[in-house]
Amino acid sequence: MNEKEILVHACCGPCSTASIERLIAEGWKPVLFFGNSNIFPSSEADKRFEELLKVAKAFDLQVIRQEQDHEAWLTQVAGLEGEKEGGARCEKCFLFNLREASRKAEELGFSHFCTTLTVSRFKNSKMIFKVGEQFPSFEAIDFKKKGGFDRSLVMSKEMHLYRQNYCGCEFSLHD
Ligand code: SF4
């Protein structure tokens, strides 16, 4: 496998836009991985996946979709349901999704993986890195740096992407 190939955990289409653009500019060859068992309901996951496909098509990239296992995700965050967004529940959520991405990277022979979660202004990159660094092939790339978040807004608008108004799980629906 080419050294610069990277499996990109993609949380949604809008967050993937600027992240992918930056990765390609920096010489990476991304393959997208949609493994987001946190998303509720499943129709919302389908909707976000459809938007990701539009982004993948624009960049001519392969996308791998993992089947949702929301029950397993609920077990992971058990006891933390009432936490505020950005707290301990989210750290467990990152752990769940990054562990899945790490497993997929290993299974497919990727030496590197990263996540588009860091592009969001609403997500703490330090917390994501703390979780990700448990996995040897994790690349700590902060996509919100270099104007990434604003760029993702511009690109999402240009591509007419659906932008969700909640993070993903049922507990974030009312935040
Ligand atoms: S608010 Fe977002 S990051 Fe936090 S647990 Fe829910 S889906 Fe995961």
Side-chain angles (χ1 to χ4, degrees):
M1 176 140 316
N2 188 313
E3 280 247 317
K4 293 290 273 180
E5 286 192 320
I6 188 164
L7 190 73
V8 182
H9 165 253
C11 55
C12 63
C15 288
S16 301
T17 53
S19 307
I20 293 169
E21 182 181 61
R22 177 172 156 190
L23 284 169
I24 292 172
E26 292 179 356
W28 292 98
K29 288 189 172 136
V31 170
L32 307 180
F33 174 65
F34 188 84
N36 297 296
S37 291
N38 54 311
I39 301 174
F40 178 89
S42 60
S43 56
E44 175 69 18
D46 291 342
K47 211 166 165 183
R48 294 188 192 189
F49 181 67
E50 287 304 314
E51 299 305 291
L52 180 64
L53 287 181
K54 291 183 196 168
V55 180
K57 194 171 174 204
F59 285 98
D60 195 20
L61 298 178
Q62 184 192 349
V63 189
I64 298 162
R65 182 174 188 179
Q66 187 187 53
E67 205 177 321
Q68 293 279 117
D69 190 351
H70 194 63
E71 286 304 314
W73 181 86
L74 284 170
T75 302
Q76 174 83 79
V77 302
L80 301 169
E81 295 85 349
E83 285 277 313
K84 279 208 177 312
E85 192 169 329
R89 187 187 68 238
C90 298
E91 190 168 344
K92 291 280 186 193
C93 177
F94 299 150
L95 174 63
F96 188 98
N97 285 347
L98 293 184
R99 190 172 54 221
E100 292 303 308
S102 168
R103 283 180 182 151
K104 184 55 77 179
E106 197 179 333
E107 178 193 322
L108 299 177
F110 283 82
S111 307
H112 312 275
F113 82 97
C114 66
T115 178
T116 62
L117 287 167
T118 62
V119 85
S120 170
R121 233 177 235 159
F122 308 105
K123 298 230 167 33
N124 180 340
S125 296
K126 276 193 189 150
M127 183 189 276
I128 295 168
F129 293 159
K130 188 180 129 200
V131 172
E133 281 161 359
Q134 299 174 38
F135 307 103
S137 56
F138 180 72
E139 294 288 333
I141 304 172
D142 195 349
F143 288 113
K144 66 170 78 53
K145 292 264 169 75
K146 305 183 182 180
F149 181 72
D150 288 341
R151 180 69 184 143
S152 74
L153 296 181
V154 170
M155 291 178 77
S156 299
K157 202 168 173 193
E158 283 171 0
M159 296 171 85
H160 307 290
L161 298 179
Y162 154 70
R163 284 190 73 84
Q164 60 271 5
N165 59 8
Y166 70 104
C167 184
C169 65
E170 52 270 65
F171 313 114
S172 65
L173 262 167
H174 308 293
D175 279 345

